[in-house]
Amino acid sequence: QVQLVESGGGLVQAGGSRRLSCTASGRTFSSYAMGWFRQAPGKEREFVADISWRGDIRYYGDSVKGRFTISRDNAKNTVYLQMNSLKPEDTAVYFCAARTYGGTPVERQYQYWGQGTQVTVSS
């Protein structure tokens, strides 16, 4: 069992940056690949990024490649999402999620989810 809590959301101007954090408790954090998803009003949940157990493999959704960076600090049981060059279309609730699977991320593989943190990008 894993509990995930996101933080770092808020209001940011277009072109700005923001860093989200997700802190885990429960089972060993380093045993899980970690992902970020987001959901905007009226839209389906969208894959943002994923990082492997060791942190050596990363995946990104096409809409955020080159702008967002996922990282993790297993000593702190924390995964981060550094968001740069933010656009209004990045506005969404961002969710942290955990899975015990490796390889290409599939949404149904994520076994644990946080409650989300709101990111609003103004123009």
Side-chain angles (χ1 to χ4, degrees):
Q1 188 72 25
V2 175
Q3 295 79 46
L4 305 173
V5 180
E6 302 95 336
S7 63
L11 178 65
V12 61
Q13 285 287 118
S17 298
R18 195 84 174 184
R19 189 181 75 164
L20 305 182
S21 299
C22 173
T23 299
S25 61
R27 300 186 71 181
T28 304
F29 177 74
S30 60
S31 297
Y32 294 85
M34 302 295 298
W36 287 97
F37 292 78
R38 67 187 184 185
Q39 188 166 27
K43 296 183 178 180
E44 296 182 359
R45 188 163 56 195
E46 177 188 18
F47 172 75
V48 175
D50 183 271
I51 186 167
S52 65
W53 299 348
R54 298 180 180 178
D56 57 340
I57 303 173
R58 300 171 182 177
Y59 299 89
Y60 295 97
D62 290 341
S63 64
V64 306
K65 287 180 179 177
R67 299 189 299 121
F68 290 11
T69 302
I70 189 170
S71 62
R72 67 191 297 162
D73 185 342
N74 288 342
K76 296 182 178 179
N77 293 335
T78 300
V79 62
Y80 304 95
L81 184 69
Q82 178 65 48
M83 305 183 294
N84 298 327
S85 301
L86 283 162
K87 306 173 181 179
E89 51 263 45
D90 294 319
T91 296
V93 176
Y94 284 72
F95 298 91
C96 176
R99 63 183 178 125
T100 56
Y101 298 86
T104 303
V106 178
E107 185 169 332
R108 64 177 178 270
Q109 294 176 341
Y110 293 88
Q111 299 152 293
Y112 304 100
W113 295 78
Q115 293 186 337
T117 185
Q118 175 71 46
V119 175
T120 301
V121 183
S122 63
S123 60

